[in-house]
Amino acid sequence: MSDTSDREDRIYRMVQRFYELGNEDPVLAPVFAAAITDWPGHFRIVADFWSHALYGSGRYRGHPFPVHMHLDFGPEAFDAWLKAFTQAVTEILTPLEAQNALGRARHMTESFRVGLFPFTLADGTPSRMPPKT
């Protein structure tokens, strides 16, 4: 295998492992079940995203934030997502790839959290809707 096909294989296996872990998680599994109907197609899209994010492959040209805007999940999903992602990249990717992927993932996690839960309720809980007055 060439270096490119090796890295693309690692990325695809990392995506598969992430969803395997996510489907075992009580917070993530229901979100995935409700949102993903074509698992192989979804794996390809997510692998394309990470290929582009890590190596500039150009295979992903979409915008992940709008896709996630309409999913039904709470703010606790971000910690569960990052935990599963950290395990998957650590198990599958090279140390440098894992470091780069985790840097991007942490940034995305915070950006999505702020974008999807921009309000804070009186008790400090993040919310998608402003507090009722």
Side-chain angles (χ1 to χ4, degrees):
M1 263 189 194
S2 71
D3 287 345
T4 301
S5 63
D6 285 345
R7 76 179 191 213
E8 295 302 327
D9 179 62
R10 283 191 305 276
I11 290 169
Y12 191 84
R13 286 186 297 115
M14 178 274 295
V15 169
Q16 288 178 308
R17 179 66 175 139
F18 165 75
Y19 282 102
E20 179 181 284
L21 294 165
N23 278 319
E24 295 170 358
D25 184 275
V27 173
L28 296 178
V31 178
F32 293 169
I36 302 168
T37 57
D38 175 10
W39 286 97
H42 188 72
F43 289 168
R44 282 190 300 278
I45 291 167
V46 177
D48 287 350
F49 171 82
W50 285 107
S51 174
H52 180 70
L54 296 175
Y55 290 104
S57 69
R59 291 201 336 244
Y60 183 84
R61 297 193 186 276
H63 301 282
F65 183 80
V67 173
H68 293 83
M69 286 176 60
H70 305 288
L71 299 180
D72 184 20
F73 63 88
E76 68 281 357
F78 293 107
D79 291 335
W81 183 90
L82 195 55
K83 180 181 175 189
F85 188 78
T86 299
Q87 183 175 339
V89 300
T90 302
E91 288 178 7
I92 306 293
L93 300 182
T94 68
L96 182 58
E97 288 169 336
Q99 178 183 358
N100 291 338
L102 286 172
R104 289 191 178 262
R106 287 182 187 109
H107 177 76
M108 285 176 54
T109 299
E110 286 310 306
S111 297
F112 278 41
R113 185 186 327 253
V114 170
L116 293 172
F117 295 90
F119 302 102
T120 305
L121 300 178
D123 66 359
T125 306
S127 174
R128 289 189 184 210
M129 302 299 293
K132 295 183 182 194
T133 54

